[in-house]
């Protein structure tokens, strides 16, 4: 009675394994650059578009402040609470670790108590503006994948601009303006990301959503909404990524919009909590940031699935015969056609657009007598091909030549990619076999 069950399980496991082969778990994630497959000519590479996983990019940045002496603590200073000018128990002293607030505290692990944060000097030179530029540099092109989030320990600024650079800080363009009054501060009508459409996604807007005063004490964050902009093409839950990938593939301006080498946060006016500045208590006005989040990935032009941080610098580990920090050119001797960026389409593997060998210059070795030996009695001819013994074929003579249908099935144990049944099926088969053995012994 158990034999029919065994055969049924085998059939089910085979079909599940086949389905898993064609629909990998990381569907559409582009995390594999190439895989080995069998063809009539033997082993061959199947290339596909690939990109690194998104990660916390603040681990790899350099931060610079302008003016450079804007951080509090030199000389030591005492600060008062914005909502209560008589509560003055916040001291900043650069010479004491517990009282210092250096810039690196914007990027340390949050969750500690008390919260760590960077803090500026107070507005002691009022009415001269208290303005600070915070520049984040990666020395590498990166692609943003999630919202940029700033968390303020002080009140959120009443005027601020987020800017981006695509040329390592040589030129800057605004990403978004922030103000309590957009018309007054920047002569712009106030908008939100919800006002944007597919046609206006690249518009630069001014928003008043993140500049409210200290009354909303729990509202400490300022955002630049990446995912809401993605959702204009991919849907509210980002489940239609094929649509977004298609747009990124065909619209360079859209792709560049989410690509940066540097970010600059321009703090133009601190929170005052009132219509008038209290000139008798300027220690109430300052900037303090406890956390900055920037989620993204190295830009590798869909030619690498990993990016390494070595000697203080990010670089793609290029595949597809490409090279360079962004995999933006072909390797030497691989200029058989012009370099091209990979493509997300067709889903899910995309198009690798690999660099191919040049017509002139060294040709890659197919075989030798060391690491790439011809198998089953074959001989290597000028390092370009194996002359196989009768009855064998393949690039390295690794495959028996089939004489008829079905004759070569499972002859070889060294296949490049063997698709095993899922572990659940294997366990089920093992249990059935065990029961058959017990029945036969009894």
């Amino acid at each position: 009675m158990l034999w029919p069950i065994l055969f049924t399980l085998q059939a089910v496991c085979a079909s599940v394994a086949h389905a898993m082969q064609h629909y990998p778990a990381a569907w559409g994630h582009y995390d594999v650059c190439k895989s080995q497959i069998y063809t009539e000519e033997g082993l061959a590479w199947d290339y596909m578009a690939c990109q690194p996983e998104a990660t916390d990019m603040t681990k790899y940045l350099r931060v610079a402040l302008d003016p450079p002496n804007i951080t509090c603590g030199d000389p030591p200073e005492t600060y008062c609470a914005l909502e209560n000018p008589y509560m003055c128990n916040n001291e900043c002293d650069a010479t004491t670790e517990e009282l210092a607030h250096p810039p690196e505290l914007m990027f340390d692990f949050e969750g500690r108590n008390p919260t760590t944060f960077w803090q500026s000097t107070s507005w002691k030179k009022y009415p001269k503006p208290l303005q600070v530029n915070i520049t984040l540099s990666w020395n590498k092109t990166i692609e943003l994948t999630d919202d940029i989030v700033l968390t303020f320990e002080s009140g959120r600024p009443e005027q601020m601009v987020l800017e981006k650079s695509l040329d390592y800080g040589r030129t800057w363009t605004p990403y978004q303006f922030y103000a309590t009054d957009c018309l007054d501060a920047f002569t712009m009508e106030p908008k939100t990301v919800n006002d944007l459409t597919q046609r206006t996604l690249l518009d630069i807007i001014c928003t008043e959503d993140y500049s409210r005063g200290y009354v909303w004490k729990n509202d400490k964050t300022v955002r630049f909404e990446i995912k809401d902009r993605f959702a204009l093409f991919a849907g509210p839950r980002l489940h239609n990524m094929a649509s977004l990938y298609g747009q990124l593939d065909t619209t360079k301006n859209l792709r560049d919009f989410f690509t940066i080498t540097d970010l600059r946060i321009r703090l133009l006016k601190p929170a005052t909590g009132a219509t008038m500045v209290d000139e008798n208590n300027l220690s109430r006005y300052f900037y303090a940031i406890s956390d900055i989040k920037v989620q993204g990935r190295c830009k590798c032009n869909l030619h690498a699935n990993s990016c390494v941080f070595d000697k203080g610098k990010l670089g793609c580990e290029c595949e597809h015969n490409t090279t360079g920090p962004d995999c933006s050119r072909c390797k030497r001797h691989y200029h058989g056609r012009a370099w091209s960026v990979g493509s997300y389409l067709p889903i899910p593997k995309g198009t690798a657009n690999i660099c191919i060998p040049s017509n002139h210059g060294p040709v890659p070795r197919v075989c030798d007598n060391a690491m790439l030996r011809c198998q089953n009695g074959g001989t290597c001819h000028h390092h370009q091909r194996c002359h196989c013994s009768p009855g064998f074929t393949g690039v390295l003579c690794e495959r028996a030549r089939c004489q008829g249908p079905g004759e070569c099935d499972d002859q070889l144990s060294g296949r490049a990619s063997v698709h095993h049944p899922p572990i659940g099926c294997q366990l089920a088969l093992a249990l059935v076999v065990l029961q058959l053995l017990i029945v036969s012994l009894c």
Side-chain angles (χ1 to χ4, degrees):
M1 292 295 292
L2 290 174
W3 287 108
I5 299 174
L6 177 62
F7 293 136
T8 303
L9 271 172
Q10 284 179 318
V12 169
C13 288
S15 62
V16 170
H18 181 75
M20 289 176 67
Q21 173 183 348
H22 289 284
Y23 299 96
W27 191 88
H29 287 186
Y30 303 97
D31 53 354
V32 178
C33 296
K34 62 183 180 181
S35 63
Q36 281 191 310
I37 59 172
Y38 263 87
T39 68
E40 290 185 357
E41 298 300 319
L43 272 175
W45 286 111
D46 180 29
Y47 295 96
M48 54 206 80
C50 54
Q51 61 188 6
E53 286 292 319
T55 187
D56 174 12
M57 298 306 296
T58 61
K59 295 182 288 188
Y60 311 112
L61 60 77
R62 289 181 294 106
V63 60
L65 271 61
D66 182 32
N69 61 346
I70 196 66
T71 300
C72 69
D74 185 19
E77 203 174 345
T78 301
Y79 293 81
C80 302
L82 181 62
E83 63 270 28
N84 187 348
Y86 304 105
M87 187 189 298
C88 303
N89 54 6
N90 179 9
E91 187 178 355
C92 181
D93 184 349
T95 62
T96 305
E97 184 178 354
E98 294 79 10
L99 299 177
H101 297 286
E104 53 264 30
L105 295 183
M106 291 186 280
F107 312 104
D108 63 339
F109 172 73
E110 288 305 310
R112 291 159 54 182
N113 193 14
T115 303
T116 59
F117 52 92
W118 165 79
Q119 187 168 317
S120 74
T121 58
S122 66
W123 204 354
K124 54 194 174 188
K125 293 183 179 179
Y126 178 87
K128 183 181 177 181
L130 179 61
Q131 298 182 348
V132 185
N133 286 346
I134 303 173
T135 303
L136 315 180
S137 302
W138 282 270
N139 197 28
K140 169 79 181 75
T141 312
I142 66 171
E143 297 169 330
L144 299 173
T145 60
D146 207 338
D147 296 358
I148 298 169
V149 185
L150 315 180
T151 304
F152 284 83
E153 193 62 22
S154 62
R156 296 181 294 187
E158 293 185 4
Q159 294 177 17
M160 183 188 113
V161 184
L162 180 66
E163 297 178 326
K164 61 169 284 189
S165 175
L166 252 178
D167 55 11
Y168 305 94
R170 286 186 286 274
T171 60
W172 296 90
T173 55
Y175 245 162
Q176 193 150 289
F177 294 86
Y178 302 82
T180 51
D181 187 332
C182 286
L183 271 174
D184 180 60
F186 302 115
T187 63
M188 298 173 70
E189 290 285 346
K191 292 185 178 181
T192 72
V193 70
N194 295 325
D195 296 320
L196 298 175
T197 65
Q198 289 186 359
R199 293 176 61 87
T200 62
L201 184 149
L202 304 183
D203 286 1
I204 308 304
I205 65 171
C206 178
T207 180
E208 298 176 354
D209 277 4
Y210 302 106
S211 305
R212 299 188 181 108
Y214 67 87
V215 175
W216 291 268
K217 196 167 173 61
N218 292 328
D219 289 341
K220 293 186 173 185
T221 60
V222 173
R223 289 179 175 267
F224 179 67
E225 304 93 338
I226 296 289
K227 283 196 167 179
D228 285 342
R229 287 169 167 84
F230 283 168
L232 292 174
F233 292 106
R237 297 183 182 272
L238 303 183
H239 48 67
N240 187 12
M241 290 301 288
S243 173
L244 176 62
Y245 286 146
Q247 291 296 325
L248 291 172
D249 247 20
T250 56
T251 313
K252 184 180 185 299
N253 287 348
L254 181 66
R255 197 163 60 243
D256 287 347
F257 184 80
F258 298 110
T259 304
I260 63 171
T261 57
D262 306 75
L263 282 173
R264 185 162 68 185
I265 304 156
R266 295 180 56 208
L267 305 173
L268 302 179
K269 185 179 179 182
T272 61
T275 54
M276 299 291 292
V277 173
D278 181 3
E279 296 186 42
N280 296 318
N281 201 336
L282 295 173
S283 60
R284 299 168 62 192
Y285 311 120
F286 54 91
Y287 305 106
I289 299 176
S290 60
D291 190 48
I292 297 179
K293 284 187 168 57
V294 182
Q295 194 84 359
R297 64 167 61 90
C298 289
K299 179 181 179 180
C300 301
N301 287 297
L302 296 178
H303 290 308
N305 61 0
S306 64
C307 190
V308 295
F309 189 65
D310 184 38
K311 297 178 181 176
K313 193 171 182 179
L314 281 168
C316 301
E317 292 198 304
C318 300
E319 300 276 357
H320 303 161
N321 303 320
T322 62
T323 188
D326 299 346
C327 307
S328 57
R329 62 182 188 273
C330 291
K331 288 168 65 174
R332 188 182 179 190
H333 306 311
Y334 284 88
H335 295 277
R337 65 181 175 201
W339 176 92
S340 178
V341 65
S343 170
Y344 285 112
L345 303 177
I347 297 288
K349 290 184 177 182
T351 305
N353 291 331
I354 69 170
C355 293
I356 61 175
S358 308
N359 292 329
H360 303 285
V363 179
R365 291 187 173 196
V366 172
C367 58
D368 55 31
N369 292 319
M371 300 298 292
L372 297 168
R373 291 176 180 270
C374 299
Q375 302 173 28
N376 299 305
T379 56
C380 185
H381 181 69
H382 296 314
H383 303 296
Q384 300 308 304
R385 60 172 300 180
C386 289
H387 286 175
C388 300
S389 301
F392 292 93
T393 186
V395 175
L396 296 176
C397 308
E398 75 282 357
R399 187 158 54 95
R401 191 182 299 277
C402 299
Q403 302 299 323
E407 269 190 38
C408 296
D409 290 351
D410 300 322
Q411 279 189 8
L412 302 171
S413 58
R415 300 209 168 197
S417 56
V418 180
H419 300 286
H420 297 287
I423 188 65
C425 287
Q426 295 182 44
L427 290 171
L429 285 170
L431 286 171
V432 172
V433 170
L434 182 62
Q435 291 182 25
L436 285 170
L437 286 172
I438 293 171
V439 170
S440 61
L441 287 173
C442 295

